[in-house]
Amino acid sequence: MAEKPIRFGIIGCAEIARKLSRAITLAPNAELSAVASRSLDKASAFAKANNFPPSAKIYGSYEELLDDPEIDAVYVPLPTSLHVKWACFIAQKKKHILLEKPVALKVAEFDKIVEACEANGVQIMDGTMWIHNPRTHKMKEFLNDKERFGELKNMHSCFTFAGDEDFLKNDIRVKSDLDAHGALGDAGWYGIRSILWAVDYELPKTVTALPGAVLNEAGVILSCGASLQWEDGKVATFHCSFLAHLTMDITAIGTAGTLHLNDFIIPYGEKESSFTTVSKSGFNDLVTGWAAVPSQHTVMTDLPQEACMVTEFARLVGNIKANGAKPDPKWPRISRKTQLILDAVTTSIAQGSKPVEL
Amino acid sequence: MAEKPIRFGIIGCAEIARKLSRAITLAPNAELSAVASRSLDKASAFAKANNFPPSAKIYGSYEELLDDPEIDAVYVPLPTSLHVKWACFIAQKKKHILLEKPVALKVAEFDKIVEACEANGVQIMDGTMWIHNPRTHKMKEFLNDKERFGELKNMHSCFTFAGDEDFLKNDIRVKSDLDAHGALGDAGWYGIRSILWAVDYELPKTVTALPGAVLNEAGVILSCGASLQWEDGKVATFHCSFLAHLTMDITAIGTAGTLHLNDFIIPYGEKESSFTTVSKSGFNDLVTGWAAVPSQHTVMTDLPQEACMVTEFARLVGNIKANGAKPDPKWPRISRKTQLILDAVTTSIAQGSKPVEL
């Protein structure tokens, strides 16, 4: 059944909205229908610069876009501090929400958003793109394979990039009134998510910030890390930073195998990306080499991962629209767990690396 | 000047001594001269199985070997708990010492060993092999390069391997009276060393064990990790375990570049090994890809790294013998710092992950 594409509106002209505009254009079941900014000129310039179709509507206020009955779903790239206000408002307008991460300042705020979505029967999903890459599904097959991977014992994830002077002074991600979680919200979000993904979203028992978090004068995190521990003995660490060179690693170690990749959030290649695995290795007789060495797996995707994300979100929205389906609770549940750990890291940092029980 | 090769004796027929026997044979300035075991038969069988030259002497006690005036240097693969006794005794016999890691149960013990070495003018070096691989020197060039790497900000290292049932029950590395440091001493030693190596052996300000250490019934560590923090903001983590699949990673992140390798302790290949680096990367305009991707560097070595280690040790010993040089204090200094951090991790674990100041 060929359904009508889901019509997307974007509120706010953030940098990241450029990437999402392209993704919405590329997604086969989505349509770029409108953009709103607090300034009509800015919205108009954004639409022009980002190949919006001529039919797309340009609004000089978010409210106008949200009143447009021809918009099905709204992408929200606004600063984190504005999420609860706007997401609740969008839900009340019965529009589905693709919400940038981190989803909220605190999990209690996100609960309000989810409540509004549930009350209004709208789908919500956060903007974590890599989780939708077909490569991610292939990697999960490996992690789920008791023969090749066994049981997860340890995981390390990191995402760092070096913000320049301007970034560290002026970017919204270093401002306490905008994206108050700083590097933890912007980069650590991915590390937390990757760990949750690897453990089938089982929450850890305790979350402990690592010593040495760096905060700016406004108290915004520029660099930090945490250690996560589960009841059954699994442990994981992540590190995130605005102060170190671009790095995005996952090392997941099971009882029988190991997964590695170094570009998990933004793959080196859009259409082709890789990871390595090695299983049941050990040493040769003289302990001078490995019994088995890692092999590389390459996964192709027609659509860039952000377009995969939009496609999946639009599919769920389409299912609600066309078939009266219920919103899928899987995605907000995952967002909430990610936020819960993010909150725990913040609390642990504030308490001098005291373990926080979840 | 063609000097006579340094004549090595080995006391104890541990598994690892097989690898070292080969290394001594391969090193151009070393000679396999004797092996001692508490049983003459065992020593004899070991010599036969490990291609000792016909001239090599076989002893039924360590003391006899140490009394042999034709032995210059002794390789000590004995359990850690025996190091202080035998290393001090060897030093008194004026023989140079190549000592397996961990060098001692506590740094105070190692200090006794170093004191004995200094008093007797003998060289001591620990058996950490990878540090002598030419690849390691090439990697250090990258880390020292302010343009390509900048200043180190974060490092993660891990070494895990899955001990089988027999190992976890019977290996000397899980026995509190033999190698009491368990996975920390056997595997964590390398993680600690790799971090020290990367920071030019500058000691951290604090060492904090990560929550979730696993100990066996005898209190020997089977799995643990730690977080290290320096005054200037650098942070590092390592993880070590006998309970997870073979993995040996280094990720070192500087302000301008990143180093990766996944076989740092035992390279996949003996004669050819690799690492990857990437410098001054960032995202492309739409944040859909990397501005620069990692490149692989391959380093050749004629000698396996353990033979490079023996060669370096024999070179120092030769210099003392032939030229009356002083023992090089660099190596025991590095061993001591590694042991100091190892001790701090043990203390922190015992204190429920309390930070230990160095």
Side-chain angles (χ1 to χ4, degrees):
Chain A
M1 180 171 81
E3 283 161 10
K4 276 193 183 168
I6 301 305
R7 297 160 300 180
F8 278 79
I10 298 178
I11 57 171
C13 300
E15 275 295 300
I16 184 76
R18 297 169 55 217
K19 184 173 178 175
L20 258 288
S21 298
R22 173 171 170 265
I24 294 166
T25 303
L26 291 172
N29 55 352
E31 191 177 281
L32 257 186
S33 299
V35 59
S37 172
R38 283 164 299 175
S39 127
L40 194 63
D41 282 355
K42 209 173 155 195
S44 179
F46 183 88
K48 195 171 285 177
N50 290 287
N51 305 309
F52 274 56
S55 59
K57 294 176 227 175
I58 315 296
Y59 291 110
S61 82
Y62 302 162
E63 289 85 348
E64 283 175 86
L65 185 148
L66 300 180
D67 278 332
D68 184 340
E70 294 186 331
I71 299 298
D72 300 309
V74 180
Y75 170 58
V76 183
L78 302 174
T80 314
S81 59
L82 302 178
H83 283 190
V84 64
K85 172 188 164 184
W86 285 103
C88 290
F89 191 58
I90 296 165
Q92 284 155 19
K93 296 285 182 181
K94 312 274 182 204
K95 299 193 189 306
H96 307 276
I97 306 170
L98 184 58
L99 184 63
E100 259 313 322
K101 30 63 53 184
V103 288
L105 290 175
K106 293 278 169 204
V107 80
E109 274 191 6
F110 185 63
D111 286 344
K112 278 190 200 168
I113 295 173
V114 171
E115 209 176 292
C117 289
E118 283 174 355
N120 292 283
V122 301
Q123 180 71 48
I124 182 163
M125 180 192 271
D126 75 51
T128 308
M129 300 164 182
W130 71 271
I131 210 94
H132 299 275
N133 194 312
R135 174 177 66 169
T136 306
H137 306 311
K138 289 305 281 185
M139 296 194 296
K140 197 74 224 280
E141 283 175 19
F142 177 72
L143 297 186
N144 285 342
D145 190 324
K146 296 294 169 229
E147 274 293 304
R148 291 189 296 154
F149 185 70
E151 298 291 335
L152 183 84
K153 298 298 280 184
N154 177 261
M155 175 151 169
H156 180 70
S157 173
C158 73
F159 180 24
T160 65
F161 62 88
D164 60 17
E165 209 181 355
D166 180 54
F167 177 98
L168 293 174
K169 207 171 159 185
N170 301 316
D171 196 90
I172 65 160
R173 289 168 281 186
V174 299
K175 301 288 184 188
S176 59
D177 55 339
L178 297 169
D179 279 347
H181 292 300
L184 177 61
D186 191 49
W189 175 273
Y190 294 104
I192 295 169
R193 172 65 61 88
S194 71
I195 293 167
L196 279 172
W197 163 78
V199 301
D200 292 325
Y201 302 101
E202 179 196 349
L203 283 173
K205 188 180 64 168
T206 57
V207 173
T208 312
L210 301 180
V214 180
L215 279 63
N216 70 9
E217 285 174 4
V220 175
I221 295 165
L222 301 181
S223 170
C224 74
S227 166
L228 285 65
Q229 186 192 359
W230 285 258
E231 201 70 61
D232 68 358
K234 283 192 295 281
V235 287
T237 43
F238 76 86
H239 177 73
C240 58
S241 177
F242 288 157
L243 306 174
H245 182 259
L246 181 57
T247 307
M248 38 176 87
D249 293 356
I250 286 177
T251 298
I253 315 177
T255 47
T258 305
L259 168 80
H260 277 122
L261 76 163
N262 302 125
D263 62 346
F264 83 97
I265 302 157
I266 313 266
Y268 301 135
E270 267 203 326
K271 303 223 155 176
E272 188 181 318
S273 60
S274 302
F275 60 95
T276 74
T277 65
V278 54
S279 298
K280 296 176 184 165
S281 192
F283 300 118
N284 61 14
D285 177 50
L286 260 189
V287 194
T288 57
W290 292 46
V293 301
S295 54
Q296 183 166 306
H297 307 268
T298 299
V299 180
M300 310 297 290
T301 175
D302 285 337
L303 289 176
Q305 61 185 16
E306 59 275 14
C308 295
M309 174 180 76
V310 171
T311 304
E312 168 65 4
F313 176 69
R315 184 184 70 77
L316 296 173
V317 173
N319 213 13
I320 296 167
K321 271 189 72 176
N323 310 323
K326 292 251 178 217
D328 190 338
K330 171 186 159 189
W331 294 109
R333 213 176 272 156
I334 291 173
S335 306
R336 188 181 193 278
K337 287 182 175 182
T338 314
Q339 184 77 41
L340 200 63
I341 295 178
L342 197 153
D343 287 5
V345 176
T346 312
T347 303
S348 183
I349 291 174
Q351 299 179 348
S353 292
K354 233 181 95 176
V356 173
E357 307 272 332
L358 288 192
Chain B
M1 180 171 83
E3 283 162 8
K4 277 194 183 166
I6 302 306
R7 297 161 301 182
F8 279 79
I10 297 178
I11 56 170
C13 300
E15 274 295 300
I16 184 77
R18 298 168 55 217
K19 182 172 179 176
L20 257 289
S21 297
R22 173 171 171 262
I24 293 165
T25 304
L26 291 171
N29 55 353
E31 192 176 280
L32 255 186
S33 298
V35 61
S37 173
R38 283 164 298 174
S39 130
L40 195 61
D41 282 353
K42 208 173 157 194
S44 179
F46 183 88
K48 195 170 286 176
N50 291 285
N51 304 310
F52 275 55
S55 61
K57 294 176 226 173
I58 316 296
Y59 290 111
S61 80
Y62 303 162
E63 290 85 348
E64 284 175 86
L65 185 148
L66 300 178
D67 277 332
D68 184 338
E70 293 185 333
I71 299 298
D72 300 309
V74 180
Y75 169 59
V76 183
L78 301 175
T80 315
S81 59
L82 302 177
H83 284 190
V84 64
K85 171 186 164 183
W86 286 103
C88 289
F89 190 58
I90 296 164
Q92 285 155 21
K93 297 285 183 180
K94 312 273 183 206
K95 300 198 189 304
H96 307 275
I97 305 168
L98 184 57
L99 184 64
E100 259 314 321
K101 32 62 53 181
V103 288
L105 290 176
K106 292 277 167 204
V107 79
E109 276 191 5
F110 186 64
D111 287 345
K112 277 191 200 167
I113 295 172
V114 172
E115 208 176 292
C117 290
E118 282 174 357
N120 291 284
V122 302
Q123 181 70 49
I124 182 163
M125 180 191 270
D126 75 50
T128 309
M129 300 164 181
W130 71 271
I131 209 94
H132 300 275
N133 194 312
R135 174 177 66 168
T136 307
H137 306 312
K138 289 305 282 184
M139 295 194 296
K140 197 75 223 276
E141 283 175 20
F142 176 72
L143 297 186
N144 285 341
D145 190 324
K146 296 294 169 227
E147 274 292 304
R148 290 188 296 154
F149 184 71
E151 300 291 336
L152 183 83
K153 298 299 281 184
N154 176 261
M155 177 152 168
H156 180 71
S157 174
C158 74
F159 181 23
T160 65
F161 62 87
D164 60 17
E165 210 181 355
D166 179 56
F167 178 98
L168 293 174
K169 206 170 159 185
N170 300 316
D171 198 271
I172 65 162
R173 289 167 281 185
V174 299
K175 301 286 183 189
S176 58
D177 56 338
L178 298 169
D179 280 347
H181 292 300
L184 178 62
D186 190 49
W189 176 273
Y190 294 103
I192 295 169
R193 173 64 62 86
S194 70
I195 293 167
L196 280 171
W197 163 80
V199 302
D200 292 325
Y201 302 101
E202 179 196 349
L203 283 173
K205 188 180 64 166
T206 57
V207 173
T208 312
L210 301 180
V214 179
L215 279 64
N216 70 10
E217 284 174 6
V220 175
I221 295 165
L222 302 180
S223 170
C224 73
S227 165
L228 285 66
Q229 185 192 2
W230 285 259
E231 200 70 62
D232 67 359
K234 281 191 296 279
V235 287
T237 44
F238 76 87
H239 177 74
C240 59
S241 177
F242 288 157
L243 306 175
H245 182 258
L246 180 57
T247 307
M248 37 174 86
D249 293 356
I250 286 178
T251 297
I253 315 176
T255 47
T258 305
L259 168 78
H260 277 122
L261 75 165
N262 302 125
D263 63 345
F264 84 98
I265 300 156
I266 314 266
Y268 301 134
E270 267 203 325
K271 303 221 156 178
E272 188 181 316
S273 59
S274 302
F275 60 95
T276 74
T277 66
V278 54
S279 298
K280 295 178 185 165
S281 192
F283 298 118
N284 62 11
D285 177 48
L286 260 190
V287 194
T288 57
W290 292 47
V293 301
S295 53
Q296 181 165 308
H297 307 268
T298 298
V299 181
M300 311 296 293
T301 175
D302 285 337
L303 289 176
Q305 62 184 15
E306 58 274 16
C308 295
M309 174 181 75
V310 171
T311 305
E312 168 65 4
F313 176 70
R315 184 184 70 78
L316 296 173
V317 172
N319 212 14
I320 296 167
K321 272 187 73 179
N323 310 322
K326 292 253 181 217
D328 189 338
K330 172 187 157 189
W331 294 109
R333 211 175 274 157
I334 291 173
S335 307
R336 187 182 194 278
K337 287 183 175 182
T338 313
Q339 185 77 40
L340 200 62
I341 295 178
L342 197 152
D343 288 5
V345 176
T346 312
T347 304
S348 183
I349 289 173
Q351 298 179 349
S353 294
K354 233 180 96 176
V356 173
E357 307 271 332
L358 290 191

